[in-house]
Amino acid sequence: MTVGKWAVCVGVCVALATGSAFAAQPSEAQVRELMQVMNVPGQFAVMNNQMAAMMSQQLPCVPASYWQTYIDKNGVDQLTKAMIPAYQHHFTADEVDGLIKFYRSPLGQRLVTEMPATMAEAAQSGQQWGRQRTTDMFSALQKEGKLDSQGRCPGTGSDGGGAATPPGGGSGQ
C-alpha cells in the first residue's frame, strides 16, 4: 500500500471512529421545522419590538409604527434563510431530529415559553453585576493612583475625549 493510500485509509478510519465526518447534514426543511418548534419567528417579533422601541427613542421624528415593520414577513423569510446554514454547519440531521423531538416535548415547550423572561432577568442581573464590578475596579484604580477622582489618567490634564466613567455614572447602583 502506498503512503497516499495509507493516509486516506487512516483518515477514513478516524472519520468513522468519530462518526462526524460522514454524518448527514440536516436538510433545509429539518432546520425550518426546528426553528418553528423553537419559536424562532416569535423571537424575531420580540427583537423587532425591542429594535422599534430603541429606534423610536433615537429618532423621535419617525413614527414608532414605521419601525414595527422592520422584520416583516419578507424579513422573517430572509433572516430564516440566512440562519439555516449555521444550523446545518453545527448540527447533524440526527441531532436536529433529536432537538425537534425535545422542543416538541412538554419540557422543551416550557423552555421555549420561559426563555425570553429568563434571558431578560439574566441580562438584568448581568448588567447590575457589570456596573458594580466596574465601579469596584475604578475605585481600586483610584486608590492605587492610576485614575484620578474623575476617572482619568492623572497628570494628563485631558481625558482623551471623556472621562472613563463606570456604567451607571459611578454610583455603584
Side-chain angles (χ1 to χ4, degrees):
M1 184 183 303
T2 67
V3 173
K5 288 181 181 178
W6 183 81
V8 169
C9 184
V10 169
V12 169
C13 289
V14 168
L16 290 173
T18 63
S20 62
F22 296 109
Q25 182 182 51
S27 68
E28 182 176 324
Q30 277 181 295
V31 173
R32 285 182 183 276
E33 183 177 357
L34 174 61
M35 293 172 87
Q36 277 300 127
V37 298
M38 290 174 59
N39 192 30
V40 172
Q43 294 170 23
F44 290 159
V46 170
M47 286 171 35
N48 189 73
N49 291 338
Q50 291 171 342
M51 193 279 316
M54 179 184 69
M55 293 306 292
S56 293
Q57 288 176 353
Q58 291 182 0
L59 298 170
C61 60
V62 178
S65 60
Y66 178 81
W67 301 111
Q68 288 296 325
T69 61
Y70 186 80
I71 306 179
D72 58 8
K73 181 177 179 354
N74 189 38
V76 168
D77 292 343
Q78 291 170 344
L79 193 49
T80 299
K81 186 173 177 105
M83 292 172 66
I84 288 171
Y87 284 85
Q88 290 174 320
H89 177 80
H90 290 280
F91 297 100
T92 67
D94 287 342
E95 290 168 337
V96 169
D97 283 341
L99 288 167
I100 290 168
K101 185 183 239 182
F102 168 74
Y103 278 104
R104 282 193 174 139
S105 74
L107 180 59
Q109 286 301 294
R110 178 154 166 77
L111 178 65
V112 168
T113 301
E114 296 298 327
M115 192 52 65
T118 302
M119 293 305 294
E121 287 178 37
Q124 189 174 40
S125 296
Q127 289 169 355
Q128 289 172 347
W129 176 86
R131 281 192 296 271
Q132 185 61 51
R133 178 72 171 144
T134 302
T135 298
D136 293 347
M137 291 180 82
F138 269 66
S139 179
L141 288 167
Q142 287 169 338
K143 285 178 185 170
E144 294 173 14
K146 295 185 186 207
L147 293 178
D148 67 16
S149 62
Q150 284 79 43
R152 295 181 287 210
C153 293
T156 61
S158 171
D159 59 16
T165 306
S171 64
Q173 296 176 358

